[in-house]
C-alpha cells in the first residue's frame, strides 16, 4: 500500500507555475524567437554571404564557392591581424587571471572597507571600452600623463612613443585590455573564494600547512570552476576585441594593432567586400568556438581531476 | 492546458513577427512621414547648431519640405552611409561623402549641368564620368607646408622652392635643435601629409593621368616614378625630420606643437588657415609654401570640395535636389567653412567679400595659390572625382606614413599596395 503525499499547495502571482498557472512556456518561445532572430539567423545569413562576392553598393552578387575561404589563408593582412589578436589573447588571459586572483585573495574579507575596495577594483569592468580607451589615450600620447610624469621624475629625456611603434602599441593594447579584464576576473575569483568552506583551511592549518601549501592544496582546487569561467569568457571577449583598438590606436601604427574584428570591419565597410568579410566573420566564429571549447574541455577535465 | 497552448501560440507568433521584422530591410519611417533625411557629420567647427541653422536656411525657400538630420557617429561618414545603405536606410541627402563608392549601384543623382555652369567657377571640378554628384562649392590645397616665420628668421632660413633646398632646411632646423617637421602620426590621415604632397607633386605633377592609368593597369605603385617619391618619405624619416615619438602625436597635439614653436614646418591641409585652428595673432607668425619639387616647378595638390549629394532612390528626388542646391548656394553655410575651416570659395556669382567673413593674411596669401595660373593636380588620396582612389586604398596609402618609420622596404610595401588595389578593383 503506497502512501501518497499531498502536493504542496501553490500560491503566487499571475505567473504561477504548474498546471493551473500560465507557466513559463510562452516566455521561452519569445526568448527562442529572439535568439533565432538576432543570433542564429544572422549567422546563417553570414554563412550564405560568405560564399558570394556581395558588395553592399552593387546591385547584384554572384556565388563564388570557396574563393573567399581560400583567400583567407593567403591574406597577409589577415594573418598579421590574427597574430596580433592571439598575442593579446595570451597576454590578457595570463595577466588578467593572475592579477584577478591576486586581488581577489587580497580583498577576500567581509568588512565594509574591503567591500568598498572590491567595488573600486570592479569599476573598469562597468566602463565601456570606448571610454577606457579615451582615458588611456590621454595617458599614452606624446604629451600625455605617462610621458610627462616620467620626464618630471627624470626617468626619460624625451617622450616615449607608447602608441607609435608596433611593439609598444601592442604592449599598450595588452595592458589596457588587461586592466579592464582584471576587474571581471577579480569578481569571479572573489565569488569563488567565498564558496570555499572555512573548515578546509582550519583542517589544513591543524595539519601544519603553510600559506603556499594552503593555496596549492585547498584554494586552487576549490576555485577551479571560477578559473574555467574567467579564462573562457576572457578568451572569448578578447578574441572579438574592437572598441579599445578603434579609439586607442586606430589599428596603427602601420596596421600593426589591427585585430581580426577590426580588419573585418575594414574589409566590409571600407573595401565594400561583404562576401569576404562574412568569410572572415565565420572564420573568427569557428576559431573562437574551437578555442573556447578546447579551453573549457581542458579546464573541466582539470576540475574533475582535482 | 488549452489556455497555456493558446498563450504559447500567441507568444510564438509574436516572436516570429519580431524575427521577421529583424530580418526585413524596409524603408525607415519617421514621425513627419514625408520628411527627407540628411546625413551630416559634426566637428568642432561644424557643430550641431551649424547644421540646424543651415538646414533651416535652406528650407526657407522650400515651403512644405521637411528635413530630418541624421548625424554620423564619427567623421567617417562614408562608412556610415554604407551601413545605412546595407540596412535599407540610405539617406535622401548626404554630406561630404566619396561619391565614387556609391555610383556602381546607381545610388546618387547627378546635378543638372546648366545649374553647375551657372553657379560655379569649376563646374567640372567634381566630375566622375562626366557627371557631378557634389556641387563644387569650395576648394582646398592638401597639403601646404606651413612654417614658423620666427624660427626661420632666427636661423637665417629662406623659404625653399626645390626639394634639395627643402632637405637643407630640414638639416638646419635639426642642427638648431628644432623638430624640422611636425607630424600628427597617431592619425594616419593627418600623418600622411608628406606622402600626399610627394605623390601629388612628384607623381601627378609629372603624369597628371597617373591614377587613371593605374585603374587601366598601365602603371603600378611599384613603378620607379611612384617608388622614388615614396623613397623621399623614407629618407625624411631617416634624416630625422620628425620627432622620434611622432607616431604617438595626435592631430590636436601636432597643431599645438607647431603653434607653440616646437617644430619649424607642418605639412597640413589649407583648413589649418581657418579660425578654428589659428587666432589672428598666431596666423601672423605663420607662412606657407607649396610642397617643393625637384626642379622648383610649382605644383598645387588641389581638392575641389562640396557638401551635398542626393540619393537617386530618395522618396522625393526633386525636393531633395532642391534642398541640396539651396544648401550649397547659401553664402551663410560656406561663410562658416571659409572662416573656420579655411575653405576657398569657388562660386561664380559670389566674391570673398559677399560672404562677410574675417580671414587672416595667411588665408589670403594661400588663396592666391588657388586663383593663380599654376599647375594644379588632384590631391592624391583626397579628391572625390575621377581621380578618387579605389575603395579602401586611401587608408592603406595613409598608413604607409607610419610603416615607413619601422619598415624601409619601399618596394615590398608598394607591391602589397598594388595587390590591395587589384583586390579592391576586382582585378
Amino acid at each position: 500500500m503506497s502512501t501518497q503525499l499531498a502536493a504542496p499547495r501553490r500560491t503566487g502571482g499571475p505567473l504561477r507555475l504548474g498546471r493551473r498557472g500560465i507557466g513559463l512556456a510562452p516566455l521561452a518561445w519569445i526568448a527562442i524567437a529572439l535568439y533565432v532572430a538576432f543570433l542564429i539567423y544572422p549567422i546563417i545569413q553570414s554563412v550564405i554571404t560568405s560564399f558570394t562576392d556581395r558588395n553592399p553598393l552593387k546591385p547584384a552578387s554572384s556565388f563564388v564557392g570557396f574563393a573567399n575561404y581560400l583567400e583567407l589563408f593567403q591574406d597577409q593582412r589577415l594573418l598579421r591581424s590574427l597574430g596580433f589578436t592571439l598575442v593579446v589573447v595570451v597576454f590578457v588571459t595570463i595577466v588578467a587571471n593572475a592579477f584577478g586572483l591576486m586581488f581577489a585573495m587580497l580583498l577576500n574579507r567581509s568588512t565594509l572597507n574591503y567591500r568598498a575596495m572590491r567595488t573600486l577594483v570592479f569599476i573598469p569592468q562597468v566602463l565601456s571600452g570606448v571610454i577606457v580607451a579615451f582615458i588611456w589615450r590621454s595617458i599614452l600620447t606624446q604629451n600625455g600623463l605617462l610621458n610627462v610624469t616620467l620626464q618630471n621624475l627624470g626617468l626619460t629625456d624625451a617622450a616615449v612613443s607608447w602608441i607609435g611603434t608596433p611593439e609598444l602599441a601592442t604592449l599598450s593594447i595588452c595592458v589596457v585590455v588587461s586592466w579592464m579584464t582584471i576587474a571581471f576576473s577579480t569578481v569571479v575569483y572573489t565569488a569563488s573564494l567565498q564558496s570555499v568552506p572555512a573548515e578546509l583551511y582550519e583542517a589544513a592549518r591543524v595539519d601544519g600547512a603553510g600559506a603556499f601549501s594552503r593555496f596549492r592544496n585547498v584554494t586552487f582546487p576549490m576555485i577551479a570552476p571560477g578559473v574555467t569561467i574567467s579564462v573562457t569568457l576572457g578568451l572569448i571577449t578578447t578574441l572579438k576585441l574592437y572598441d579599445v583598438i578603434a579609439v586607442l590606436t586606430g589599428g596603427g601604427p602601420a596596421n600593426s594593432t589591427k585585430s581580426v574584428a577590426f580588419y573585418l570591419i575594414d574589409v566590409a565597410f571600407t573595401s565594400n567586400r561583404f562576401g569576404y568579410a562574412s568569410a572572415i566573420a565565420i572564420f573568427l566564429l569557428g576559431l573562437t568556438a574551437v578555442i573556447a571549447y578546447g579551453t573549457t574541455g581542458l579546464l573541466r577535465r582539470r576540475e574533475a581531476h582535482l | 492546458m488549452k489556455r497555456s497552448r493558446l498563450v504559447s501560440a500567441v507568444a510564438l507568433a509574436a516572436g516570429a513577427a519580431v524575427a521577421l521584422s529583424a530580418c526585413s530591410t524596409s524603408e525607415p519611417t519617421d514621425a513627419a512621414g514625408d520628411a527627407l533625411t540628411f546625413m551630416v557629420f559634426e566637428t568642432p567647427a561644424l557643430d550641431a547648431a551649424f547644421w540646424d541653422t543651415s538646414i533651416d536656411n535652406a528650407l526657407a525657400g522650400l515651403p512644405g519640405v521637411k528635413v530630418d538630420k541624421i548625424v554620423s557617429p564619427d567623421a567617417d561618414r562614408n562608412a556610415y552611409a554604407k551601413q545605412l545603405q546595407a540596412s535599407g536606410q540610405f539617406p535622401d541627402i548626404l554630406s561630404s561623402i566619396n561619391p565614387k563608392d556609391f555610383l556602381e549601384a546607381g545610388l546618387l543623382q547627378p546635378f543638372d549641368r546648366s545649374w553647375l555652369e551657372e553657379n560655379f567657377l569649376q563646374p567640372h571640378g567634381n566630375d566622375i564620368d562626366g557627371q557631378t554628384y557634389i556641387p563644387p562649392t569650395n576648394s582646398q590645397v592638401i597639403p601646404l607646408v606651413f612654417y614658423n616665420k620666427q624660427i626661420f628668421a632666427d636661423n637665417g632660413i629662406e623659404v625653399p622652392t626645390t626639394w634639395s633646398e627643402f632637405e637643407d632646411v630640414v638639416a638646419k632646423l635639426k642642427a638648431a635643435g628644432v623638430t624640422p617637421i611636425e607630424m600628427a602620426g597617431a592619425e594616419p590621415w593627418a600623418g600622411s601629409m608628406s606622402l600626399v604632397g610627394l605623390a601629388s607633386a612628384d607623381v601627378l605633377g609629372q603624369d597628371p593621368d597617373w591614377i587613371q592609368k593605374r585603374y587601366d593597369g598601365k602603371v603600378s605603385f611599384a613603378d620607379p616614378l611612384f617608388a622614388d617619391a615614396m623613397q623621399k618619405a623614407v629618407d625624411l624619416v631617416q634624416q630625422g625630420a620628425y620627432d622620434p615619438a611622432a607616431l604617438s602625436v595626435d592631430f590636436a597635439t601636432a597643431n599645438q606643437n607647431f603653434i607653440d614653436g616646437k617644430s619649424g614646418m607642418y605639412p597640413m591641409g589649407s583648413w589649418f588657415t581657418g579660425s578654428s585652428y589659428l587666432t589672428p595673432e598666431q596666423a601672423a607668425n605663420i607662412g606657407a609654401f607649396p610642397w617643393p619639387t625637384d626642379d622648383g616647378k610649382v605644383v598645387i595638390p588641389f581638392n575641389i570640395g562640396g557638401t551635398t549629394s542626393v540619393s537617386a532612390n530618395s522618396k522625393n528626388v526633386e525636393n531633395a535636389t532642391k534642398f541640396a542646391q539651396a544648401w550649397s548656394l547659401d553664402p551663410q553655410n560656406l561663410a562658416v567653412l571659409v572662416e573656420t575651416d579655411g575653405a576657398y570659395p569657388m562660386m561664380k556669382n559670389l566674391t570673398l567679400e559677399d560672404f562677410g567673413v574675417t580671414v587672416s593674411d595667411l588665408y589670403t596669401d594661400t588663396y592666391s595659390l588657388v586663383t593663380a595660373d599654376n599647375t594644379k593636380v588632384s590631391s592624391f588620396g583626397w579628391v572625390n572625382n575621377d581621380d578618387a582612389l579605389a575603395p579602401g586604398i586611401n587608408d592603406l596609402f595613409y598608413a604607409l606614413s607610419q610603416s615607413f618609420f619601422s619598415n624601409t622596404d619601399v618596394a615590398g610595401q608598394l607591391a602589397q599596395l598594388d595587390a590591395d588595389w587589384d583586390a579592391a578593383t576586382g582585378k
Side-chain angles (χ1 to χ4, degrees):
Chain A
M1 184 174 165
S2 65
T3 306
Q4 282 193 322
L5 294 174
R9 190 173 173 190
R10 298 177 191 277
T11 57
L15 276 178
R16 286 177 298 160
L17 300 175
R19 291 189 311 164
R20 295 182 60 81
I22 291 174
L24 288 175
L27 294 178
W29 281 118
I30 291 173
I32 290 166
L34 291 171
Y35 184 75
V36 168
F38 293 110
L39 190 75
I40 303 300
Y41 173 78
I43 289 173
I44 293 168
Q45 196 63 45
S46 286
V47 171
I48 295 166
T49 306
S50 71
F51 290 103
T52 70
D53 63 354
R54 190 181 165 216
N55 175 329
L57 303 174
K58 287 185 180 176
S61 60
S62 322
F63 178 75
V64 295
F66 284 93
N68 289 327
Y69 288 95
L70 293 173
E71 187 178 341
L72 281 177
F73 300 102
Q74 297 159 14
D75 185 344
Q76 292 303 314
R77 294 190 190 279
L78 175 63
L79 296 176
R80 271 203 300 274
S81 298
L82 182 60
F84 165 77
T85 305
L86 293 176
V87 166
V88 177
V89 165
V90 171
F91 184 100
V92 170
T93 302
I94 293 169
V95 170
N97 283 282
F99 278 85
L101 180 55
M102 187 179 76
F103 285 143
M105 293 185 73
L106 289 171
L107 300 172
N108 188 27
R109 306 279 190 282
S110 311
T111 64
L112 192 63
N113 280 350
Y114 281 96
R115 282 205 296 272
M117 277 193 276
R118 280 205 298 268
T119 304
L120 282 174
V121 169
F122 189 62
I123 281 175
Q125 182 62 33
V126 297
L127 293 173
S128 82
V130 171
I131 300 295
V132 168
F134 269 115
I135 293 168
W136 278 91
R137 190 180 169 96
S138 71
I139 293 169
L140 296 170
T141 52
Q142 185 202 35
N143 300 335
L145 182 67
L146 183 57
N147 275 326
V148 170
T149 305
L150 290 173
Q151 285 171 290
N152 286 344
L153 293 173
L155 296 172
T156 55
D157 295 329
V160 178
S161 195
W162 297 108
I163 54 174
T165 67
E167 298 79 14
L168 286 177
T170 300
L171 181 64
S172 298
I173 295 278
C174 287
V175 168
V176 172
V177 178
S178 297
W179 184 77
M180 288 174 68
T181 314
I182 283 169
F184 173 75
S185 296
T186 303
V187 170
V188 171
Y189 289 128
T190 302
S192 301
L193 286 170
Q194 290 178 345
S195 69
V196 180
E199 295 82 2
L200 293 179
Y201 290 117
E202 291 299 326
R205 279 198 185 90
V206 169
D207 289 345
F212 180 73
S213 181
R214 288 200 301 275
F215 173 79
R216 186 165 161 251
N217 297 302
V218 178
T219 307
F220 204 56
M222 291 302 291
I223 63 166
V227 174
T228 304
I229 291 167
S230 180
V231 169
T232 308
L233 291 181
L235 278 171
I236 291 169
T237 306
T238 314
L239 276 165
K240 297 185 299 180
L241 188 64
Y242 174 80
D243 50 0
V244 172
I245 292 169
V247 175
L248 189 60
T249 64
N255 303 316
S256 60
T257 59
K258 274 190 179 176
S259 64
V260 175
F262 194 99
Y263 181 66
L264 186 162
I265 297 290
D266 251 11
V267 169
F269 292 107
T270 305
S271 301
N272 306 330
R273 300 183 66 202
F274 271 27
Y276 184 46
S278 296
I280 296 172
I282 299 304
F283 167 75
L284 182 59
L285 176 71
L287 181 74
T288 306
V290 167
I291 291 176
Y293 279 114
T295 308
T296 309
L298 278 172
L299 293 171
R300 283 268 155 78
R301 274 202 294 277
R302 179 180 157 274
E303 283 177 44
H305 178 71
L306 292 168
Chain B
M1 194 73 164
K2 277 184 183 175
R3 187 172 58 171
S4 179
R5 280 186 191 160
L6 176 65
V7 174
S8 292
V10 170
L12 183 58
V18 168
L20 287 173
S21 68
C23 303
S24 72
T25 54
S26 58
E27 284 299 308
T29 57
D30 51 68
D34 57 349
L36 300 169
T37 50
F38 182 23
M39 186 198 74
V40 306
F41 63 100
E42 292 178 355
T43 68
L46 308 178
D47 58 8
F50 163 78
W51 290 108
D52 291 340
T53 305
S54 73
I55 290 169
D56 289 344
N57 290 348
L59 288 174
L62 300 170
V65 178
K66 298 191 190 80
V67 169
D68 288 338
K69 185 178 69 169
I70 300 173
V71 183
S72 173
D74 59 24
D76 193 354
R77 55 267 184 193
N78 230 42
Y80 187 53
K82 291 173 190 174
Q83 289 171 31
L84 291 172
Q85 160 63 13
S87 59
Q89 303 172 86
F90 198 62
D92 297 288
I93 308 118
L94 306 95
S95 62
S96 303
I97 56 164
N98 182 354
K100 206 165 191 173
D101 282 5
F102 302 90
L103 290 185
E104 198 160 1
L107 289 170
L108 299 181
Q109 181 74 13
F111 284 91
D112 177 65
R113 181 54 57 191
S114 61
W115 178 77
L116 294 165
E117 299 281 353
E118 182 186 338
N119 289 290
F120 302 105
L121 289 173
Q122 292 207 13
H124 294 274
N126 281 336
D127 271 13
I128 301 174
D129 295 331
Q131 300 275 26
T132 290
Y133 302 91
I134 294 186
T137 59
N138 64 89
S139 62
Q140 299 162 318
V141 180
I142 312 173
L144 288 162
V145 184
F146 295 95
Y147 68 95
N148 184 308
K149 290 178 180 176
Q150 188 63 52
I151 291 175
F152 269 42
D154 289 348
N155 293 281
I157 297 171
E158 296 290 323
V159 171
T161 56
T162 65
W163 181 252
S164 62
E165 288 175 8
F166 182 72
E167 286 185 310
D168 289 344
V169 172
V170 168
K172 282 181 183 171
L173 288 169
K174 192 164 174 58
V178 177
T179 300
I181 303 176
E182 187 62 44
M183 177 182 178
E187 298 178 47
W189 71 268
S192 64
M193 285 296 156
S194 295
L195 270 66
V196 175
L198 286 162
S200 303
D202 280 20
V203 179
L204 300 184
Q206 291 184 51
D207 186 357
D209 298 325
W210 191 92
I211 294 169
Q212 295 313 305
K213 289 178 181 174
R214 185 62 193 84
Y215 274 108
D216 296 338
K218 294 175 181 169
V219 297
S220 70
F221 289 104
D223 288 349
L225 179 62
F226 202 94
D228 290 349
M230 293 303 102
Q231 185 60 49
K232 285 183 177 178
V234 174
D235 294 344
L236 283 177
V237 174
Q238 296 187 319
Q239 204 181 334
Y242 307 104
D243 185 308
L247 300 189
S248 288
V249 180
D250 60 27
F251 180 51
T253 305
N255 292 341
Q256 201 56 52
N257 285 347
F258 178 66
I259 291 166
D260 291 346
K262 292 180 181 174
S263 43
M265 296 184 287
Y266 188 29
M268 188 44 64
S270 53
W271 51 78
F272 191 65
T273 63
S275 64
S276 57
Y277 299 96
L278 297 172
T279 64
E281 296 74 25
Q282 290 165 344
N285 185 42
I286 294 171
F289 57 88
W291 188 267
T293 53
D294 287 334
D295 59 2
K297 175 188 170 188
V298 174
V299 177
I300 304 299
F302 197 57
N303 177 39
I304 302 275
T307 305
T308 52
S309 294
V310 175
S311 165
N313 302 322
S314 166
K315 58 178 79 73
N316 191 327
V317 174
E318 188 184 351
N319 280 346
T321 302
K322 283 180 183 172
F323 173 81
Q325 290 176 333
W327 197 100
S328 296
L329 293 183
D330 186 345
Q332 288 182 67
N333 294 342
L334 196 49
V336 174
L337 293 170
V338 170
E339 206 162 70
T340 65
D341 224 36
Y344 305 124
M346 302 293 285
M347 313 292 281
K348 193 176 269 185
N349 306 315
L350 295 168
T351 64
L352 191 58
E353 289 70 34
D354 292 325
F355 293 101
V357 290
T358 305
V359 292
S360 64
D361 288 345
L362 178 64
Y363 173 91
T364 310
D365 291 346
T366 54
Y367 191 15
S368 67
L369 293 170
V370 173
T371 55
D373 184 18
N374 49 28
T375 301
K376 293 184 178 68
V377 298
S378 292
S379 178
F380 197 93
W382 280 87
V383 293
N384 288 317
N385 53 24
D386 284 321
D387 280 347
L389 304 183
I393 299 300
N394 282 1
D395 290 343
L396 297 172
F397 172 66
Y398 299 157
L400 289 175
S401 62
Q402 296 178 325
S403 64
F404 285 159
F405 272 70
S406 54
N407 182 354
T408 57
D409 177 15
V410 173
Q413 291 178 82
L414 294 183
Q416 177 64 56
L417 194 60
D418 277 316
D420 292 324
W421 178 286
D422 292 339
T425 53
K427 289 179 180 170

